[in-house]
Amino acid sequence: MLIKLFFSLIIIIFIFYVFLECDFDYLKHPNPFSIWIYIISLLLIIISSFLEEIFKNQLSKKKLKKFQSYEKKIKTINHGFDGILELDNKIPKWWQQLFSITIVISIIYFCSFFFTNFANPQFEYKRAYKNQLKKIKEFEKKQPQASIETVKFDKKFINDGKKLFNENCATCHNIDGGGNIGPNLTDDYWINHKEKTLIKNVFYIIWNGSKNNKVMRAFGASGEIKGNDIQKLSSYIYFINKNNNKPKNTKFPEGDKIILE
């Protein structure tokens, strides 16, 4: 009975997923209509299983007699040369039912694969991408992004800022911030100095880019990096700039010497 319930539930979920084009997030948070469909389907399966058990108990004695008489008539196949005696029994019903279920599922899958968007990687990617954008918008509404007016240094942003720095900035400024094709970020020389404080000046440059160097594009204004991530980057750059342990091999100074706090 439990096996039948398990397989029946799988078939119900599979049908919902294929024909209603539902993803697994939908199944985790279904609407009331789908919940009632699940409940009614399971109740019908349970009722049918109980009825089947009742009929089985009533017919058990008759079946036992038939089985005993049938057992005497069981055919055997004697291979002869190897001494193996093979019973010529019929295939069990549960095996036939399981085999039939696999055929039905394969037919459903075949039709859905060729005539619907099921298992279409491009469609699934577009759907997942749209859902991700919706989640990002909802998250941004609940948690406002940092700006040049609200940005501030915070130690808790250093580790996340380091990861973002390695992903976006290390190619030009070196992994330790000592400079490569981009300027050294650990000294007091600045090509761009638009703000009076260090944290805001770094935020401004990452957000608006540099007019002196087109490679340093406007990561924030273009939407490539969000305000909260730029705050994390700015906190990390502030940290390595104010840290007493400077990189050994740094790039030569560029720009004007300005002490920014």
Side-chain angles (χ1 to χ4, degrees), residues 70-188:
Y70 173 76
E71 193 176 17
K72 297 176 182 178
K73 300 177 182 179
I74 289 177
K75 296 180 181 180
T76 58
I77 302 173
N78 191 349
H79 291 191
F81 63 92
D82 55 8
I84 296 175
L85 187 66
E86 183 180 349
L87 299 178
D88 188 15
N89 294 328
K90 292 182 178 180
I91 296 175
K93 286 186 178 180
W94 66 266
W95 195 97
Q96 292 177 333
Q97 292 173 354
L98 186 63
F99 182 69
S100 301
I101 289 171
T102 59
I103 293 174
V104 171
I105 291 175
S106 63
I107 293 171
I108 295 172
Y109 186 89
F110 179 84
C111 295
S112 60
F113 184 84
F114 285 101
F115 301 109
T116 69
N117 287 321
F118 175 72
N120 185 328
Q122 294 180 353
F123 174 78
E124 290 182 358
Y125 171 78
K126 289 179 181 178
R127 183 174 58 187
Y129 181 71
K130 288 180 180 179
N131 291 336
Q132 188 67 25
L133 290 178
K134 287 180 182 178
K135 290 179 181 178
I136 291 171
K137 288 181 180 179
E138 291 175 0
F139 175 79
E140 289 178 350
K141 287 179 181 178
K142 296 178 182 177
Q143 185 170 350
Q145 296 293 320
S147 64
I148 191 69
E149 290 80 16
T150 61
V151 64
K152 60 181 181 180
F153 170 74
D154 197 324
K155 289 182 180 180
K156 67 181 181 182
F157 295 145
I158 292 174
N159 290 332
D160 290 338
K162 184 178 181 180
K163 293 177 183 177
L164 290 166
F165 184 88
N166 292 339
E167 293 172 359
N168 299 280
C169 311
T171 303
C172 296
H173 298 283
N174 210 346
I175 196 165
D176 56 8
N180 191 4
I181 59 174
N184 179 11
L185 300 176
T186 62
D187 60 14
D188 294 325

Side-chain angles (χ1 to χ4, degrees), residues 14 20 22 33 48 53 64 83 89 103 126 200 246 259:
F14 183 80
L20 299 182
C22 302
F33 175 76
S48 65
E53 290 295 327
L64 181 61
N89 294 328
I103 293 174
K126 289 179 181 178
K200 288 191 175 184
K246 303 291 184 180
I259 307 298

Side-chain angles (χ1 to χ4, degrees), residues 194-257:
K194 301 292 184 181
E195 297 291 331
K196 295 181 180 180
T197 62
L198 177 58
I199 190 74
K200 288 191 175 184
N201 194 61
V202 173
F203 189 97
Y204 178 92
I205 296 168
I206 299 174
W207 184 274
N208 296 292
S210 173
K211 293 181 180 179
N212 301 317
N213 187 354
K214 293 182 179 180
V215 177
M216 184 59 197
R217 58 190 182 276
F219 288 94
S222 64
E224 189 172 346
I225 303 179
K226 298 296 182 181
N228 289 340
D229 286 338
I230 294 179
Q231 181 172 234
K232 294 174 183 177
L233 273 170
S234 302
S235 294
Y236 175 70
I237 294 171
Y238 180 94
F239 171 75
I240 62 174
N241 183 271
K242 295 299 182 182
N243 193 358
N244 293 325
N245 297 323
K246 303 291 184 180
K248 294 182 179 179
N249 299 318
T250 59
K251 192 178 181 181
F252 57 85
E254 295 178 275
D256 303 323
K257 185 173 182 180

Side-chain angles (χ1 to χ4, degrees), residues 35-75:
I35 292 174
W36 278 111
I37 292 293
Y38 295 149
I39 293 172
I40 293 170
S41 301
L42 288 174
L43 285 174
L44 290 173
I45 293 167
I46 293 169
I47 291 169
S48 65
S49 299
F50 275 113
L51 290 174
E52 185 179 349
E53 290 295 327
I54 291 170
F55 284 117
K56 278 184 179 179
N57 292 332
Q58 290 178 351
L59 300 174
S60 60
K61 293 181 180 180
K62 294 180 180 180
K63 283 189 175 182
L64 181 61
K65 291 180 181 179
K66 287 183 179 180
F67 178 76
Q68 289 173 349
S69 60
Y70 173 76
E71 193 176 17
K72 297 176 182 178
K73 300 177 182 179
I74 289 177
K75 296 180 181 180

